[in-house]
Amino acid sequence: MAAYFASLNPVALWNAAPGGLAQGLIWGIMALGVYFTFRILNFADMTCDGSFALGGSVAVMLILGGANPWLALLAAFACGIIAGFATGILHTVLGIPDILAGILVQISLYSINLNIMGKANQAIPVGQGTMPFTSNIRYLGQTIALTLVCDVVIIGILYWFLGTEIGSAIRATGINEHMSRAQGIPTGKMKVLTISISNGLIAMCGAIIAEYQGFADVKMGQGSIVIGLAAVIIGEVLSEAICGKRLTFMLRLAFTIIGAVVYYFVYVFVLWLKFPADDMKLLTAIVVAIFLAVPHFQSAKSSSFRALARRNAKAAKSKEGKNA
C-alpha cells in the first residue's frame, strides 16, 4: 500500500489538469445538446452516440480534402441537424417511440459513418495544417480559450433563442405537450426542431473532439450519452447546492458546462490513481447514479417526519417569540 501511494506523482496530476479542463469544456457543448432534449423537451434521445461520431467523421474527411477546419465544424453541425431531423420525423410522423427512434437513427449512422470515412477510422496528418482545437501541449492554452469562447457564445444563443416565441413554444411543449397542442402550438414541429438543434450541437462537439485528438473513429461516440447525462446531472446538483433559490436559467446552462469540466477532472484524477482505463465506463455509470440519487435523498430528507417536526418546532418558537 505504501509503495502504491509513493508511486503517485502530484506533478503528473497537475500536468494533466489542463487537458482535463480542455476536454471538459469541449464535452460541455455536447452536454448542452443533451440538456436541450433531456431537460427542455423531456425527450429521451439516443441518437447522440451516432451523431457525435458523424460530426467527427465529416470534419476529418473535409479537413483531409483541404477544407478549413472552422468550415468543417459548421458542416458537422449541419449534418447533426439532419440526423436529429431524421429522429424527429420517425417519432412525430411515423409514431415511433422516442427511444426507439433514436436507436434506429443511431444504428443507421454507424453504417453512414463507415461510408463517409471509407474505413473504421481516419487520422489527420501532422502536416495537414494548424487545428484551432488541438491536444498539443504548446497550444493547449489556445484550445481552452477558444472552447471557452464557443461555450459562452452557444449559451448566449440558446438563452436568447429559448426566450423567443418559438423557444417559448418549445419549453411549453416539454412542460405539457397536450396543453400546448390545445393552445395551437405545433408540438410535432417543435420536437423536430429541438432534436435537430440538439444533435447539431452534439455533432459539432464530435468534430471538435476529432480535431483535438487528431482522428475520427466510427466508435468514438460510444457511451457519449452517458457522459452528456453525467455533465447535466452533476451541473444540476452543483447549481442547486451553490445557488439555491437564486438559480436562473442562464446559470443552469453555465453549470451544465461546469458539470462536464467536473466530470473530466474526476476522470483525470481516477486515471492518476492508476485505475484501469477499461473500467472508466463503469466509473461513469457509478458517478451518474450517485448524482442522480442526490436529489432523491434530499427530497426524501426534506419530506420526512423528522424534518416536518423540526419545521413545526421552529414555527412554534417563532410564534411564541412574537406573542412575547
Side-chain angles (χ1 to χ4, degrees):
M1 183 64 72
Y4 165 74
F5 284 108
S7 68
L8 300 178
N9 185 2
V11 177
L13 178 62
W14 176 260
N15 292 335
L21 176 60
Q23 290 199 64
L25 291 172
I26 294 172
W27 280 90
I29 298 174
M30 180 190 176
L32 288 173
V34 173
Y35 184 89
F36 214 50
T37 50
F38 182 60
R39 286 304 188 209
I40 302 297
L41 194 61
N42 196 27
F43 185 94
D45 185 18
M46 299 297 293
T47 316
C48 58
D49 284 18
S51 56
F52 185 87
L54 173 66
S57 303
V58 170
V60 167
M61 295 309 295
L62 286 175
I63 292 171
L64 289 176
N68 184 285
W70 289 103
L71 293 178
L73 296 183
L74 293 178
F77 179 76
C79 290
I81 287 177
I82 295 172
F85 181 82
T87 300
I89 292 298
L90 288 176
H91 175 64
T92 59
V93 176
L94 301 183
I96 299 175
D98 49 4
I99 294 179
L100 291 179
I103 291 174
L104 287 174
V105 175
Q106 178 195 129
I107 293 172
S108 303
L109 286 173
Y110 185 87
S111 297
I112 292 172
N113 293 335
L114 279 174
N115 283 291
I116 290 174
M117 293 191 292
K119 55 183 180 179
N121 51 67
Q122 287 279 7
I124 303 174
V126 177
Q128 188 68 27
T130 303
M131 296 296 108
F133 304 92
T134 174
S135 59
N136 189 322
I137 191 66
R138 293 172 57 192
Y139 304 105
L140 200 55
Q142 168 189 302
T143 299
I144 293 172
L146 282 176
T147 310
L148 186 60
V149 170
C150 290
D151 289 339
V152 171
V153 170
I154 292 172
I155 288 175
I157 292 173
L158 289 179
Y159 182 79
W160 166 81
F161 175 70
L162 290 171
T164 63
E165 185 175 346
I166 295 177
S168 299
I170 289 173
R171 288 187 285 121
T173 300
I175 294 170
N176 192 325
E177 182 180 351
H178 299 294
M179 182 59 72
S180 300
R181 191 182 298 116
Q183 296 296 323
I185 296 175
T187 55
K189 292 181 180 178
M190 294 301 104
K191 284 186 174 183
V192 172
L193 176 61
T194 306
I195 300 167
S196 299
I197 295 174
S198 169
N199 281 278
L201 291 173
I202 292 168
M204 186 169 67
C205 177
I208 295 175
I209 285 292
E211 291 185 7
Y212 177 83
Q213 62 190 14
F215 69 93
D217 188 272
V218 72
K219 293 184 178 181
M220 65 184 289
Q222 227 174 40
S224 58
I225 178 63
V226 181
I227 298 175
L229 286 174
V232 171
I233 300 303
I234 292 172
E236 286 181 343
V237 172
L238 291 177
S239 63
E240 291 175 4
I242 295 172
C243 300
K245 295 181 179 179
R246 295 171 296 170
L247 185 60
T248 63
F249 182 66
M250 176 70 81
L251 287 174
R252 288 185 184 276
L253 294 176
F255 268 95
T256 300
I257 301 292
I258 294 173
V261 173
V262 170
Y263 169 80
Y264 258 91
F265 274 137
V266 172
Y267 188 94
V268 168
F269 180 72
V270 171
L271 286 179
W272 176 73
L273 291 176
K274 299 184 179 181
F275 276 55
D278 293 340
D279 295 340
M280 294 312 296
K281 298 295 183 184
L282 174 62
L283 171 70
T284 301
I286 293 173
V287 170
V288 174
I290 291 172
F291 277 91
L292 278 172
V294 168
H296 169 74
F297 287 120
Q298 287 178 338
S299 176
K301 183 179 179 181
S302 63
S303 61
S304 65
F305 287 112
R306 184 175 297 177
L308 179 61
R310 285 198 299 266
R311 288 196 296 269
N312 289 339
K314 186 176 180 180
K317 286 183 180 180
S318 177
K319 188 176 181 181
E320 289 176 0
K322 289 180 180 180
N323 292 335

